[in-house]
Amino acid sequence: MKLIIAIVQDQDAASLIEDLTDHKYRVTKLTSTGGFLKAGNTTLLVGVEEEHIKPVVDLIETNCKTREITTSLLTVTMPGDTYIPYPLEVKVGGATVFILDVERHIRI
Ligand code: 2BA
């Protein structure tokens, strides 16, 4: 068995979860926060047998879009630690996906 960990944008999570459950995949949704943007995103856990990795990744690709966002993250150091917002264009991916081997899977 494999564990697919997919970090997706909040806007894409609902349709992806619906698609996964429609296709009879079990999915767990975790609320997460990106370290760089410090903005909310969604982490999904999907446990599947090896032959289902491609279909699940295909569903992730279908539902998750790359978006360009403008953020103001950078601080310009000034006397007194003044914060000056500096616009920054960031391309946030459709999804970041990790696929891990599962040593044991037990349902009780
Ligand atoms: P964030 O860390 O908030 O990153 C959002 C986007 O900011 C990233 O999109 C990337 O385009 C940009 N970015 C991140 N770190 C950067 C840096 N040090 N310098 C310049 N730009 C940077 P994605 O790569 O699509 O990542 C989306 C979210 O997926 C990330 O949110 C993070 O929560 C997660 N993620 C991505 N790669 C990861 C990894 N290797 N390990 C764990 N989580 C990861």
Side-chain angles (χ1 to χ4, degrees), residues 16-26 52 55-56 59:
L16 175 57
I17 291 169
E18 198 177 320
D19 246 4
L20 288 167
T21 49
D22 283 352
H23 286 80
K24 311 285 180 235
Y25 293 113
R26 292 164 195 257
H52 290 286
V56 168
L59 290 177

Side-chain angles (χ1 to χ4, degrees), residues 7-8 32-39 41 90-96 98:
I7 304 164
V8 306
S32 45
T33 304
F36 187 68
L37 293 178
K38 295 175 178 54
N41 54 27
V90 179
K91 201 173 265 189
V92 184
T96 299
F98 300 93

